[in-house]
Amino acid sequence: MVKKIPIGPFHPILEEPEFFELHVDGERVVDIDITIGWSHRGIELLSEHKTWDQVPFLVERVCGICSASHPYAYVKAVEDLLQIEVPERAQYIRVIVAELERLHSHLLWTGLAGHFLGYNTVFMWAWKYREPLLDILEAVTGNRNHYATWRIGGVRRDLPEEEIPNIREMLDELEKKNDLLTKAIIDDPVIHARTKGVGVLNQTKCREYGALGPTARAGNYNIDARRDHPIDAYRNVEFDVIVCENGDVYDKAVVRQLENFEAIRIIRQCLDAIEAMDGGDILLEIEEVPPGEGLGVYEAPRGEVFHYVRSDGKNMPMRHKIRAPSFNNILTNEYTVPGYSVADAGLITAAVDPCYSCTERVGVVNARSGERKVLNEEDLIRMSREKTERIRRELGIR
Amino acid sequence: MSLGLKALKKSPWVFHVNTGACNNCDIEILDALTPRFDVERFGIVLVGSIRHADVLLISGPVTRNVLPRLKRLYEQAPKPIKVIVIGACGCNCGIFRDGYNIIGPVDKHIPVDAYVPGCPPKPETIIAGVVKVLNTL
């Protein structure tokens, strides 16, 4: 007998509201319906009523965690329209802030994944290591989140020279901590049992659903906009694109952890380049935007962000289209969730990193009798943790 | 002071709702629970159900889709409940004020006790806001 479990649209932990309806047969999920649009704010239309220079402030509020990626893709779209190249120093500053954001986003995800598994230690550790990162972002850009760094033709603030040693020190420290976290995940038999072979998204399915970012790279689908469409200083730095084989939740976690090391590597190269540079312009003044259209692509922590702008020669965009990676990635849940238990469903939906946006209240509806049992987000996390405990006992740990 | 109120002041349980924010405020609320700020040592706990909550933290401008849910949440909350709005969007819709899908700030729809402005407010500010509300009890 198939029952329906609505998950969402609210949840108390994090991120945008989404709504999933799980169709369950006993413990096993057989189908999933996905509804999005709860936090639809009409940003595209709003941006068509703002001047070119005001839009970066708006698009960095598309998503609080991707608040470097969206303005990056937007300014690249306008610069594509203008056919200009920004000053070299500005290019490096952009990459530094963007990669710092990737680090904090991946650490945030690792913490939350630990929280859902019942490893609150991982949650607390990951978020503790994230704090020095936010301090650096505050020192460099003036705010912990929402950096307001991007501007068409360059950046708004120069990187203070006296901060460079602090950034290096923070990176050294973070590299050790990230190593520790990665090893903790790779070595833990309980995490293996909970996440290996769960929510598998193979390469063919990645292509079919258009999965992006770490979700795709975990499934052996080798795409990364930083390498495929190199922009700014990404052309001058060396980094590896991390790709895993299996596409399960475990691989998605490993890809993100290993990407942190690559991000640290990129930031170090950028700092070297800036130190060697001895000053320089950070902004190319733009007088006006001629009619035309431009595309901007950037690899956000969750995948490829795409912005399109069209200008009719006025001081505002005539059309501004935004495509965020989570839109593609959320849909992959349709394939990955069915076949697994309800306790796994939360973990799988979290693994694509829209996080667990939706588990504020869950009602189990008995389709035949209309009888309704209400579960909340606590119950779901409890179910997930009970499964971890069960596996721990079976493995004879603790 | 009644016994219930005393208990509330001793250990306020907070529930948080995102009514269409960019989720930065939500991250900063969670951040207040993690080791650097660690409000749990003062008995402030983030709970998973509105029915356990003493304090409601709301972030974000209210979107058309979310409004019925927000009103239902407020009705389900045990009274007295203190409502604190976190972030510029919740206080006055911020940068999204002119959006077609935005129907006013939070205080237009439910009673609000305190506003914590900022985009996003730092965790220190959020903690200060909660403490100020508790001091009025």
Side-chain angles (χ1 to χ4, degrees):
Chain A
M1 185 181 61
V2 176
K3 290 179 178 180
K4 288 179 187 171
I5 305 181
I7 304 181
F10 271 133
H11 88 121
I13 299 245
L14 189 74
E15 300 220 43
E16 51 281 89
E18 291 153 12
F19 183 72
F20 294 113
E21 194 170 55
L22 303 180
H23 297 242
V24 295
D25 184 3
E27 264 280 284
R28 212 170 60 86
V29 180
V30 290
D31 199 5
I32 180 168
D33 280 341
I34 302 162
T35 314
I36 52 176
W38 298 94
S39 60
H40 176 74
R41 287 154 287 170
I43 288 177
E44 288 178 17
L45 189 72
L46 277 174
S47 114
E48 285 155 23
H49 294 83
K50 298 214 180 297
T51 61
W52 294 101
D53 252 354
Q54 288 173 335
V55 176
F57 296 113
L58 179 69
V59 292
E60 72 183 13
R61 283 159 181 81
V62 170
C63 165
I65 315 175
C66 299
S67 56
S69 312
H70 281 283
Y72 206 157
Y74 166 75
V75 296
K76 285 321 284 181
V78 180
E79 283 160 12
D80 180 37
L81 191 162
L82 292 163
Q83 295 293 324
I84 56 162
E85 187 75 12
V86 300
E88 212 183 342
R89 191 178 172 85
Q91 295 186 8
Y92 282 107
I93 295 173
R94 282 180 176 185
V95 172
I96 288 173
V97 177
E99 291 299 321
L100 283 172
E101 182 206 63
R102 189 182 315 278
L103 279 171
H104 106 68
S105 172
H106 283 346
L107 280 175
L108 183 145
W109 181 84
T110 306
L112 286 172
H115 180 60
F116 293 130
L117 280 173
Y119 278 78
N120 259 345
T121 317
V122 173
F123 176 42
M124 293 297 169
W125 277 10
W127 283 58
K128 187 170 82 182
Y129 304 150
R130 199 176 143 263
E131 284 295 331
L133 202 58
L134 294 179
D135 289 344
I136 289 293
L137 277 168
E138 191 176 1
V140 171
T141 68
N143 205 357
R144 285 159 60 92
N145 317 76
H146 290 332
Y147 317 112
T149 296
W150 275 262
R151 190 169 168 187
I152 297 162
V155 291
R156 215 168 279 276
R157 277 173 69 133
D158 200 356
L159 184 73
E161 291 285 343
E162 65 272 16
E163 283 301 329
I164 292 179
N166 296 346
I167 301 177
R168 286 188 190 281
E169 199 182 312
M170 184 275 295
L171 289 178
D172 292 343
E173 198 59 30
L174 187 68
E175 197 174 23
K176 282 182 224 152
K177 306 288 197 223
N178 196 52
D179 195 42
L180 189 140
L181 260 182
T182 313
K183 282 179 181 152
I185 290 170
I186 290 177
D187 290 343
D188 193 309
V190 181
I191 292 184
H192 279 220
R194 269 314 299 276
T195 59
K196 274 206 163 173
V198 173
V200 177
L201 191 71
N202 58 27
Q203 197 189 18
T204 329
K205 286 292 168 190
C206 282
R207 282 178 193 274
E208 277 175 23
Y209 281 98
L212 295 165
T215 310
R217 289 197 286 276
N220 203 9
Y221 184 16
N222 195 346
I223 50 165
D224 189 323
R226 291 175 294 172
R227 182 201 56 202
D228 303 338
H229 309 282
I231 48 172
D232 292 353
Y234 282 111
R235 286 170 297 201
N236 309 337
V237 295
E238 272 180 28
F239 63 98
D240 294 326
V241 176
I242 309 291
V243 179
C244 280
E245 292 287 315
N246 302 321
D248 49 15
V249 176
Y250 176 78
D251 278 359
K252 286 169 189 165
V254 170
V255 163
R256 289 195 174 90
Q257 279 301 316
L258 296 181
E259 266 181 19
N260 281 348
F261 292 114
E262 295 303 316
I264 292 172
R265 206 171 132 200
I266 293 173
I267 298 169
R268 282 192 180 135
Q269 292 175 52
C270 291
L271 290 175
D272 290 341
I274 281 190
E275 276 180 331
M277 216 176 282
D278 191 31
D281 274 347
I282 55 161
L283 185 64
L284 196 69
E285 285 294 341
I286 307 296
E287 293 290 319
E288 57 185 68
V289 182
E293 52 186 5
L295 301 176
V297 171
Y298 178 68
E299 180 80 13
R302 284 157 191 72
E304 180 187 304
V305 178
F306 169 86
H307 280 235
Y308 164 85
V309 290
R310 187 196 288 163
S311 162
D312 54 359
K314 299 208 181 81
N315 63 344
M316 297 173 189
M318 185 189 164
R319 178 77 180 100
H320 183 190
K321 167 74 191 149
I322 303 169
R323 210 280 322 270
S326 286
F327 186 74
N328 292 29
N329 289 339
I330 288 167
L331 297 183
T332 63
N333 291 331
E334 188 202 355
Y335 175 75
T336 49
V337 174
Y340 298 99
S341 71
V342 179
D344 288 331
L347 190 62
I348 299 169
T349 51
V352 303
D353 196 6
C355 295
Y356 204 15
S357 318
C358 21
T359 47
E360 181 260 348
R361 198 191 302 89
V362 171
V364 180
V365 183
N366 184 328
R368 208 170 286 167
S369 64
E371 176 197 338
R372 196 179 171 88
K373 184 185 163 203
V374 174
L375 302 176
N376 60 23
E377 177 262 354
E378 269 181 350
D379 294 325
L380 271 180
I381 292 184
R382 199 198 63 231
M383 284 165 79
S384 175
R385 285 178 183 166
E386 279 170 2
K387 187 168 176 188
T388 307
E389 270 305 309
R390 209 160 58 229
I391 289 171
R392 257 195 203 132
R393 274 198 302 275
E394 282 164 17
L395 291 172
I397 296 171
R398 262 206 308 183
Chain B
M1 190 186 282
S2 73
L3 192 63
L5 209 58
K6 205 172 173 184
L8 192 154
K9 265 188 96 167
K10 185 80 186 159
S11 171
W13 284 14
V14 298
F15 177 80
H16 118 248
V17 188
N18 173 343
T19 57
C22 69
N23 74 51
N24 235 340
C25 297
D26 314 319
I27 296 169
E28 296 293 51
I29 290 169
L30 266 189
D31 213 78
L33 297 169
T34 52
R36 177 173 290 184
F37 302 100
D38 196 15
V39 292
E40 283 193 8
R41 67 202 150 123
F42 304 122
I44 301 177
V45 183
L46 195 69
V47 292
S49 168
I50 182 71
R51 296 186 192 278
H52 302 157
D54 302 313
V55 177
L56 193 56
L57 302 179
I58 302 179
S59 60
V62 182
T63 66
R64 222 170 274 279
N65 294 356
V66 151
L67 179 65
R69 306 273 179 165
L70 176 67
K71 285 192 165 158
R72 226 168 89 194
L73 276 177
Y74 187 73
E75 280 160 18
Q76 288 174 349
K79 309 290 181 308
I81 187 150
K82 291 289 167 190
V83 179
I84 304 177
V85 173
I86 310 284
C89 296
C91 295
N92 62 2
C93 293
I95 200 164
F96 303 115
R97 191 177 59 225
D98 302 323
Y100 55 85
N101 208 32
I102 305 294
I103 40 174
V106 175
D107 60 4
K108 201 173 144 191
H109 305 292
I110 60 172
V112 173
D113 293 284
Y115 303 85
V116 181
C119 188
K122 294 174 81 169
E124 294 97 319
T125 327
I126 297 173
I127 297 167
V130 175
V131 170
K132 269 189 183 162
V133 168
L134 293 179
N135 283 343
T136 62
L137 290 175

